Amino acid sequence: QQQVKQSPQSLIVQKGGISIINCAYENTAFDYFPWYQQFPGKGPALLIAIRPDVSEKKEGRFTISFNKSAKQFSLHIMDSQPGDSATYFCAASINSGYALNFGKGTSLLVTP
Amino acid sequence: ETGVTQSPTHLIKTRGQQVTLRCSSQSGHNTVSWYQQALGQGPQFIFQYYREEENGRGNFPPRFSGLQFPNYSSELNVNALELDDSALYLCASSLGTTTGGYTFGSGTRLTVV
């Protein structure tokens, strides 16, 4: 049973554009929502994370938007660069140190 | 500061065999978790160890077992390998079970033939 649903499965964005990836969850006990970036042959690396007491968090070109009532959250990558081409995973857990429930991932390609 | 290191990086086993994968946690991290990532999928939680005790388990059968040692390194053991066990196995460490995010290793690619 997929506890976190992620879309789209793949995304192509031109350099300088905005990449948007969406996730939805059902379990209201989740209170930690991280995004991970994974390059081929590597493990996932934490990009940015948010807790449900805030609606938005920004770190550099990466922004998480969180809608608690809709049980949805999204990742926005501003000024996308070819080096951002990777697979992105959203996740959710009941706290930041416990089991992460991952989405199925979004393969992002940023074209020059 | 060293990150999470896993060994071996690649492994080929025959169905029915047993395998042991190893993980060294990031310095100072006392919690380790293991995940299975099938091709094209997100990682799936196998189990977590905190101070040498299992303190959480995902939907995996008992033939998946683990150990955490006093230096916080860890092992994942899989008995009676099945073809569907072919995947990337990821180890992740964190500082405690309620604070700090995970740091993942690069994984062990297991192929069962």
Side-chain angles (χ1 to χ4, degrees):
Chain A
Q1 183 184 3
Q2 195 77 22
Q3 295 205 51
V4 178
K5 296 183 179 180
Q6 183 172 347
S7 63
Q9 185 176 357
S10 62
L11 184 61
I12 300 175
V13 172
Q14 282 194 328
K15 178 182 176 182
I18 303 174
S19 303
I20 302 174
I21 305 171
N22 301 298
C23 285
Y25 65 97
E26 288 297 324
N27 189 346
T28 55
F30 290 150
D31 74 346
Y32 175 70
F33 302 89
W35 284 89
Y36 282 83
Q37 179 189 56
Q38 187 175 29
F39 292 103
K42 299 292 186 182
L46 179 64
L47 264 180
I48 186 172
I50 197 168
R51 293 194 182 274
D53 52 344
V54 297
S55 60
E56 187 174 281
K57 183 175 181 180
K58 183 176 180 179
E59 289 185 1
R61 297 185 293 109
F62 301 94
T63 300
I64 299 180
S65 297
F66 188 85
N67 185 328
K68 188 175 181 178
S69 61
K71 292 185 285 187
Q72 296 176 347
F73 59 110
S74 60
L75 175 70
H76 294 228
I77 306 174
M78 312 300 287
D79 187 25
S80 298
Q81 299 296 312
D84 297 330
S85 297
T87 300
Y88 292 81
F89 294 95
C90 62
S93 70
I94 60 173
N95 66 58
S96 62
Y98 196 57
L100 289 167
N101 297 272
F102 282 87
K104 289 190 173 183
T106 296
S107 178
L108 171 65
L109 176 64
V110 181
T111 60
Chain B
E1 179 181 281
T2 58
V4 176
T5 57
Q6 293 187 241
S7 62
T9 54
H10 295 85
L11 201 53
I12 300 175
K13 287 288 190 178
T14 302
R15 188 172 52 183
Q17 286 188 315
Q18 178 266 345
V19 68
T20 298
L21 310 181
R22 295 179 173 82
C23 171
S24 293
S25 300
Q26 181 166 320
S27 178
H29 285 188
N30 57 15
T31 302
V32 67
S33 302
W34 286 89
Y35 288 78
Q36 180 194 66
Q37 186 176 20
L39 202 60
Q41 300 294 317
Q44 297 290 315
F45 175 69
I46 303 175
F47 43 58
Q48 182 181 70
Y49 279 81
Y50 172 66
R51 293 185 175 178
E52 303 175 58
E53 296 287 333
E54 182 180 302
N55 78 328
R57 188 177 185 93
N59 189 26
F60 280 81
R63 59 189 185 84
F64 285 79
S65 63
L67 281 173
Q68 186 182 30
F69 300 100
N71 66 354
Y72 303 134
S73 65
S74 175
E75 286 182 355
L76 165 65
N77 298 289
V78 186
N79 293 321
L81 284 166
E82 301 176 0
L83 297 179
D84 285 348
D85 295 333
S86 295
L88 180 68
Y89 288 85
L90 295 162
C91 171
S93 70
S94 62
L95 181 59
T97 59
T98 59
T99 60
Y102 284 109
T103 300
F104 281 85
S106 293
T108 294
R109 172 70 62 186
L110 172 66
T111 302
V112 182
V113 297

